[in-house]
Amino acid sequence: DTGVSQDPRHKITKRGQNVTFRCDPISEHNRLYWYRQTLGQGPEFLTYFQNEAQLEKSRLLSDRFSAERPKGSFSTLEIQRTEQGDSAMYLCASSLGREFGEKLFFGSGTQLSVL
Amino acid sequence: QQQVKQSPQSLIVQKGGISIINCAYENTAFDYFPWYQQFPGKGPALLIAIRPDVSEKKEGRFTISFNKSAKQFSLHIMDSQPGDSATYFCAARQGTYKYIFGTGTRLKVLA
């Protein structure tokens, strides 16, 4: 168990560029989440995968955001045509999905800065 | 999305004191209430959690008190230590997987 790994840790991009983030969850975890966190705020739900199926995508996400989890393993989050408002910490979490006692294991996040 | 309101925004406590963080919610469909601790540069980590049919849960120095009728719950940190200095988030689960987080409380414990 090496924990949830996210890459890159930091990304600086110019407005209008596309960016892609990767998340490697804990290997036996079937649930995978993406959250966004801005300074001074709590994590905000973006999307959820049960194995390879994306079961929910937040209405806060525009069509510029897309996420995948091929074969129920790693996941990618892509943002197209980035805007300054996309600047945030993007957190990935995974879990085994117990009814009670569920523990989300978060990665250290990818800090995105859009100039 | 459904809100979870957290207070205070920041808290300063002397070493050995009790830290108390409060959360309130509106959606009675929430069925699981965890607390997460986050250190700078790290993702949140689960600290303790409670089900709504339990009024209190204690793990070491950390206690959750839950008031279902008032739709409020709180985290108590007994004998607070400088190593507890972090940001704490309450959360509530909606459905079987969606977690709604509070806005966080930045705790500083003075040595």
Side-chain angles (χ1 to χ4, degrees), chain A residues 80-110:
Chain A
Q80 296 182 329
R81 305 181 303 282
T82 53
E83 301 173 356
Q84 288 184 327
D86 297 332
S87 295
M89 173 75 81
Y90 290 83
L91 292 165
C92 176
S94 70
S95 80
L96 281 172
R98 295 168 56 186
E99 182 178 3
F100 293 110
E102 179 177 25
K103 181 175 181 179
L104 299 188
F105 290 82
F106 282 87
S108 294
T110 294

Side-chain angles (χ1 to χ4, degrees), chain B residues 3 12 15 27 32-33 35-36 38 40 43 55 58 60 62 66-67 69 71-72 78 80 82 86 95 99-100 106 108:
Chain B
Q3 283 190 319
I12 300 175
K15 179 182 177 181
N27 187 349
Y32 181 60
F33 300 86
W35 284 88
Y36 281 80
Q38 185 176 29
S55 61
K58 183 176 182 179
F62 302 93
F66 191 88
N67 186 329
S69 61
K71 293 185 283 187
Q72 295 176 346
M78 312 298 288
S80 298
Y99 289 85
I100 311 300
R106 183 175 292 184
K108 184 174 179 64

